[in-house]
């Protein structure tokens, strides 16, 4: 098995060989993502109404942190000038707020579970004598990893102020002494992991 890329497992799933440094970096990034997402909802009391959780309301305003705003974007974008000029901006904001109130909590929970799945998968790895360990993802784990890798890339892109338009031009021209270089390298590496994982599914 080649290092650094996911390969298909017989019978379904994906596998990758990771060394100690790669395991440490991935785990650290996933833990930082968990910290960014914040703690989960407290466990409901035994006598709590089970339907109450279904109708619990979340925030109605977008997050102020640019990384969280990238992870939880508005559902309804603003017109770019080429669409219908009659669209009411207040109505768009109201729709976005309403959608966010009833979906963000669930989305945040799912993202937290994806990141936790990455941490737990890595905690179960023990590198062999050559310093590498083979991680096998089966069942729902490949999709959980795919979600977490995507969230990690979105978060780093927000921190680096990367947009899709300037991604390739900016990333490959940074000098080695640029303080953003390690984050850029992590961003590119996560992109390679994400791409090869998608290919196995």
């Amino acid at each position: 098995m080649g290092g650094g890329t996911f390969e298909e497992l017989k019978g379904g799933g994906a596998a990758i060989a990771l060394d100690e440094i790669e395991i440490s970096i991935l785990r650290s990034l996933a833990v930082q993502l968990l910290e960014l997402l914040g703690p989960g909802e407290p466990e409901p009391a035994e006598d709590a109404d089970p339907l109450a959780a279904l109708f619990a309301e979340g925030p109605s305003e977008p997050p102020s942190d640019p990384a969280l705003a990238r992870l939880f974007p508005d559902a309804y974008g603003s017109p770019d000038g080429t669409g219908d000029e009659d669209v009411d901006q207040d109505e768009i904001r109201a729709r976005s707020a309403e959608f966010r109130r009833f979906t963000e909590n669930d989305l945040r929970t799912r993202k937290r579970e994806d990141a936790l799945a990455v941490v737990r998968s890595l905690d179960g790895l023990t590198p062999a004598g050559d310093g590498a360990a083979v991680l096998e993802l089966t069942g729902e784990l490949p999709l959980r990893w795919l979600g977490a890798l995507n969230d990690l890339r979105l978060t780093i892109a927000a921190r680096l102020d990367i947009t899709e338009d300037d991604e390739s031009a900016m990333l490959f021209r940074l000098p080695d002494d640029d303080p953003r270089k390690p984050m850029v390298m992590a961003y590119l590496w996560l992109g390679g992991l994400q791409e090869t994982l998608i290919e196995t599914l």
Side-chain angles (χ1 to χ4, degrees), residues 108-119:
R108 192 177 288 259
T109 297
R110 196 195 78 216
K111 290 178 181 298
R112 193 180 294 109
E113 288 171 352
D114 289 348
L116 261 176
V118 169
V119 172

Side-chain angles (χ1 to χ4, degrees), residues 76-115:
Y76 303 97
S78 300
D80 59 6
T82 59
D84 186 355
E85 283 77 17
D86 296 330
V87 175
D88 183 343
Q89 291 299 304
D90 290 334
E91 184 180 336
I92 287 176
R93 279 190 285 275
R95 284 186 196 170
S96 291
E98 186 77 359
F99 186 83
R100 184 180 295 280
R101 275 195 318 146
F102 292 106
T103 60
E104 185 171 311
N105 284 348
D106 287 343
L107 185 56
R108 192 177 288 259
T109 297
R110 196 195 78 216
K111 290 178 181 298
R112 193 180 294 109
E113 288 171 352
D114 289 348

Side-chain angles (χ1 to χ4, degrees), residues 24-106:
S24 175
I25 291 171
L26 276 170
R27 190 183 187 289
S28 174
L29 289 172
V31 167
Q32 289 176 58
L33 178 59
L34 283 167
E35 291 170 354
L36 177 67
L37 291 169
E41 295 296 314
E43 287 292 320
E46 285 185 25
D47 59 348
D49 179 1
L51 293 178
L54 292 176
F55 299 102
E57 294 185 12
S60 59
E61 294 296 318
S64 57
D65 184 310
L68 285 173
R70 189 91 56 113
L71 292 174
F72 303 103
D74 273 333
Y76 303 97
S78 300
D80 59 6
T82 59
D84 186 355
E85 283 77 17
D86 296 330
V87 175
D88 183 343
Q89 291 299 304
D90 290 334
E91 184 180 336
I92 287 176
R93 279 190 285 275
R95 284 186 196 170
S96 291
E98 186 77 359
F99 186 83
R100 184 180 295 280
R101 275 195 318 146
F102 292 106
T103 60
E104 185 171 311
N105 284 348
D106 287 343

Side-chain angles (χ1 to χ4, degrees), residues 126-196:
T126 306
D130 62 357
V134 175
L135 173 68
E136 295 188 354
L137 303 178
T138 57
E140 66 174 13
L141 280 177
L143 289 177
R144 291 235 176 255
W145 267 72
L146 202 53
L149 290 172
N150 187 60
D151 290 341
L152 287 171
R153 291 191 83 232
L154 287 173
T155 302
I156 293 174
R159 295 290 184 241
L160 293 170
D161 201 23
I162 296 171
T163 64
E164 288 182 17
D165 296 335
D166 64 11
E167 179 178 310
S168 57
M170 173 270 207
L171 293 183
F172 295 105
R173 289 203 303 261
L174 285 180
D176 289 342
D177 60 353
D178 191 301
R180 297 170 297 170
K181 187 77 171 190
M183 282 182 73
V184 167
M185 298 307 292
Y187 178 79
L188 294 171
W189 178 53
L190 292 169
L193 293 180
Q194 186 179 20
E195 186 177 337
T196 59

